[in-house]
Amino acid sequence: MLLKRFASSLQCSAKAGTFRLPPTIKQLLAAPVQPEEQLVTVSGWIKSIRRQKNVSFAVLTDGSSTQGLQAVFLGNGEGVKALTNGAAVQLTGKLVRSPGAGQEKELVIDSKRSIDVNAGEQIRILGTCDPEVYPIQKQALSTEYLRDHSHLRARTDAIAAMVRLRDTLKKNISTFFDEQGFIYSHTPILTGNDAEGAGEAFRVAQLPNTHPAATNSSDPSSSADNVEFFSRPAHLTVSHQLHLEALATSLSRVYTLSPCFRAEPSQTGRHLAEFWMLEAEWAFGGSGRVFDTCDFVEACLKSVVRGAVDGVDADVLWKGVDEARRSAVADAVGRGEGWMRMTYTDAGQALEEHQRNAPGAFQYEPGWGQALQSEHERWIAETLVKGPVFITDYPKSLKPFYMRENEDGKTVGCFDLIVPHMGELVGGSVREERADVLDGKMRENFGDGLSAYQWYLDLRRYGGAPHMGFGMGFERLVGWVGGIDNVRESIPFPRWAGRMLL
């Protein structure tokens, strides 16, 4: 008996090793048309249905592609009459070459026959949908309406295409970094440090546990109001950079694509409270100059974006948007020549000259030592350069403590990549590897809180090597590639100040 059970388990394991889910609609449409009609079963949601006297047509989608599968129902049996927009169904029929225009294949179902699964052809309704109250109607739906229905908005063409575009870009990112010898790393979401030093972190607190089995009423020190869970304040991370630096001192080349959080009350279309960041750190990076970092980021973006901006999901997202903008993105990532590099000082001089020639051109007066405003960045990228531009070597007073100080003592070896219609897309720098210089900057920056960052100094004391890195907002990348002006439509479930549904 034991031997029989063991043999049976081996057979199950062998089957599990070759297990595959049924093909998606995307896979069915991509497969070559077979000379003989195939009997297939497809599951999805009814996107539209059109009934005639003896035949009905429906478009079935499972979200795997922009194109749905046309289903042709011969006859109008009870199964066809029950089909409505939004309903979840399973259809079994013959996958044949379509005689009509617009699709290569279609699924033909003889609805006059039995719905029994053993009959070979069938209609099964897995989940009904009342078309009278279904929130996702066929007419145009406003952006704000879809935000209010974020749990359903991925059923629209644009949001579904955005989610698939995110998937494409993520896969391209993984391929690029793998080819460059990087190791994907998991970094903490909970942290005790503020990498940016901007004080915009969310504080994490333990909720009081009122369950009788977990409460020790005789011990007042056990209350969440009296102690920190981690014995020190904890926050949701604003950036994974510092932890990646720790790993880079051991693994040389590391990156992550992870969520970050910023308690910024901004209501602009460029900011979210929860967002995703692509961050990378690497040691022994060429000459150690900031231009080396720019070269890497440019190569990364050209590799990641090329192809995606011309894909079918991008076709959906760019519909109704200025096609010249899309062509400019495709040209920027497709051409061989490098993107423009200019120092902060040169950029400032160009801004000041434009302000003199056109008084009132900017709301904020440009000047050396002042932060570049969005209007400045857009003018540089869209009017002056007319393409992506790396602005390098900012004043050290404008940048965080970890950036390497240049020989002039006034600037740091850093860059912001500015792209048209989006603004800042990437920020990076050469990291300060000199322990004595970093120690002085940290004392000035943290004061009495320096002890919490001693580990960061240790990275320099014990075999510290020249290294560099960058961070890129993933939603901004999606917006640049997909022609999406507001980052709230570049993420499935957006959160911003005053708004968090679901």
Side-chain angles (χ1 to χ4, degrees):
M1 179 63 71
L2 287 175
L3 288 176
K4 288 183 179 180
R5 290 181 180 177
F6 179 68
S8 176
S9 68
L10 286 178
Q11 291 175 356
C12 290
S13 298
K15 291 179 180 179
T18 57
F19 176 80
R20 288 183 64 89
L21 289 169
T24 64
I25 289 177
K26 179 180 180 180
Q27 291 169 328
L28 283 173
L29 294 176
V33 177
Q34 299 297 319
E36 297 182 0
E37 297 175 346
Q38 296 176 273
L39 194 65
V40 299
T41 298
V42 187
S43 300
W45 295 271
I46 299 294
K47 189 173 183 179
S48 66
I49 185 161
R50 177 167 51 93
R51 295 181 176 89
Q52 297 179 1
K53 183 176 180 180
N54 295 315
V55 65
S56 297
F57 301 89
V59 175
L60 186 69
T61 179
D62 62 2
S64 60
S65 72
T66 58
Q67 185 180 3
L69 176 64
Q70 177 170 276
V72 181
F73 301 93
L74 304 179
N76 282 314
E78 292 302 315
V80 177
K81 294 178 181 179
L83 297 177
T84 62
N85 288 345
V89 299
Q90 183 181 77
L91 305 177
T92 298
K94 294 177 180 178
L95 190 66
V96 302
R97 188 184 297 274
S98 177
Q103 64 278 327
E104 186 180 16
K105 303 173 184 176
E106 62 185 22
L107 187 69
V108 178
I109 301 104
D110 189 348
S111 60
K112 297 177 291 186
R113 296 186 58 177
S114 168
I115 302 177
D116 179 24
V117 67
N118 296 318
E121 300 176 359
Q122 61 167 338
I123 303 169
R124 291 184 58 196
I125 298 177
L126 306 177
T128 61
C129 182
D130 186 346
E132 298 300 320
V133 296
Y134 183 40
I136 308 300
Q137 296 291 333
K138 293 185 68 175
Q139 69 265 28
L141 303 172
S142 71
T143 298
E144 195 58 39
Y145 177 87
L146 290 174
R147 290 174 184 169
D148 289 338
H149 295 80
S150 58
H151 58 300
L152 294 172
R153 71 175 190 162
R155 298 191 183 189
T156 64
D157 289 342
I159 298 299
M162 175 272 293
V163 176
R164 289 191 297 266
L165 178 60
R166 289 176 68 99
D167 177 64
T168 298
L169 293 172
K170 184 267 297 180
K171 290 175 180 174
N172 292 352
I173 286 169
S174 298
T175 298
F176 175 81
F177 278 94
D178 185 58
E179 291 174 349
Q180 293 284 340
F182 277 71
I183 298 171
Y184 182 85
S185 307
H186 298 99
T187 45
I189 297 295
L190 297 177
T191 180
N193 61 62
D194 180 2
E196 297 297 324
E200 296 172 338
F202 286 101
R203 177 78 175 270
V204 177
Q206 181 185 8
L207 292 174
N209 192 340
T210 58
H211 192 282
T215 302
N216 184 357
S217 58
S218 63
D219 182 7
S221 66
S222 66
S223 170
D225 296 330
N226 297 330
V227 297
E228 292 281 357
F229 184 85
F230 296 103
S231 75
R232 59 179 294 195
H235 304 86
L236 295 177
T237 189
V238 175
S239 169
H240 300 271
Q241 177 199 319
L242 302 189
H243 293 103
L244 284 174
E245 283 193 63
L247 294 175
T249 62
S250 301
L251 303 172
S252 299
R253 302 176 187 181
V254 293
Y255 80 103
T256 191
L257 179 60
S258 301
C260 295
F261 308 85
R262 180 163 289 174
E264 182 177 358
S266 173
Q267 294 291 323
T268 74
R270 299 175 58 198
H271 296 92
L272 291 166
E274 180 185 23
F275 52 98
W276 287 70
M277 287 284 288
L278 170 65
E279 298 182 76
E281 298 288 327
W282 62 99
F284 317 115
S287 66
R289 299 179 304 113
V290 67
F291 284 167
D292 292 334
T293 318
C294 297
D295 291 342
F296 182 91
V297 169
E298 181 177 341
C300 174
L301 281 169
K302 286 182 174 180
S303 175
V304 168
V305 175
R306 190 184 298 120
V309 71
D310 295 322
V312 291
D313 291 313
D315 289 341
V316 174
L317 294 170
W318 281 98
K319 187 177 182 180
V321 183
D322 182 8
E323 195 62 31
R325 281 177 52 184
R326 184 182 186 184
S327 298
V329 176
D331 180 63
V333 299
R335 64 174 184 252
E337 62 267 24
W339 294 343
M340 173 74 75
R341 275 89 161 142
M342 65 190 313
T343 65
Y344 165 91
T345 300
D346 291 340
Q349 290 174 351
L351 291 166
E352 291 172 4
E353 181 179 354
H354 181 64
Q355 182 79 327
R356 286 193 300 270
N357 295 334
F362 301 120
Q363 179 181 354
Y364 297 94
E365 191 77 20
W368 204 95
Q370 301 296 317
L372 296 183
Q373 302 297 323
S374 297
E375 59 177 347
H376 301 151
E377 294 175 343
R378 295 194 64 167
W379 180 82
I380 292 170
E382 296 170 23
T383 304
L384 181 64
V385 177
K386 295 182 173 61
V389 51
F390 290 95
I391 302 178
T392 67
D393 303 299
Y394 283 70
K396 64 180 182 181
S397 60
L398 299 179
K399 293 297 182 179
F401 68 95
Y402 51 75
M403 295 186 176
R404 195 181 200 278
E405 189 171 312
N406 290 329
E407 293 180 0
D408 60 14
K410 298 186 299 182
T411 61
V412 288
C414 67
F415 75 87
D416 286 343
L417 173 62
I418 313 299
V419 299
H421 308 288
M422 182 58 63
E424 180 187 342
L425 178 61
V426 188
S429 75
V430 179
R431 312 312 191 192
E432 183 59 78
E433 87 283 1
R434 296 166 295 185
D436 56 336
V437 177
L438 182 62
D439 181 70
K441 295 173 72 172
M442 291 175 66
R443 289 182 185 277
E444 179 181 347
N445 195 77
F446 298 115
D448 296 337
L450 179 62
S451 60
Y453 291 85
Q454 284 299 321
W455 66 269
Y456 191 66
L457 274 173
D458 283 349
L459 300 178
R460 277 70 177 172
R461 293 193 182 106
Y462 308 124
H467 60 289
M468 54 194 67
F470 71 89
M472 174 167 56
F474 192 58
E475 283 69 39
R476 293 189 182 186
L477 174 64
V478 173
W480 186 48
V481 178
I484 305 170
D485 291 328
N486 195 313
V487 292
R488 296 171 187 174
E489 276 58 67
S490 292
I491 191 170
F493 303 104
R495 280 91 162 86
W496 67 92
R499 188 71 169 269
M500 186 183 73
L501 300 180
L502 305 189

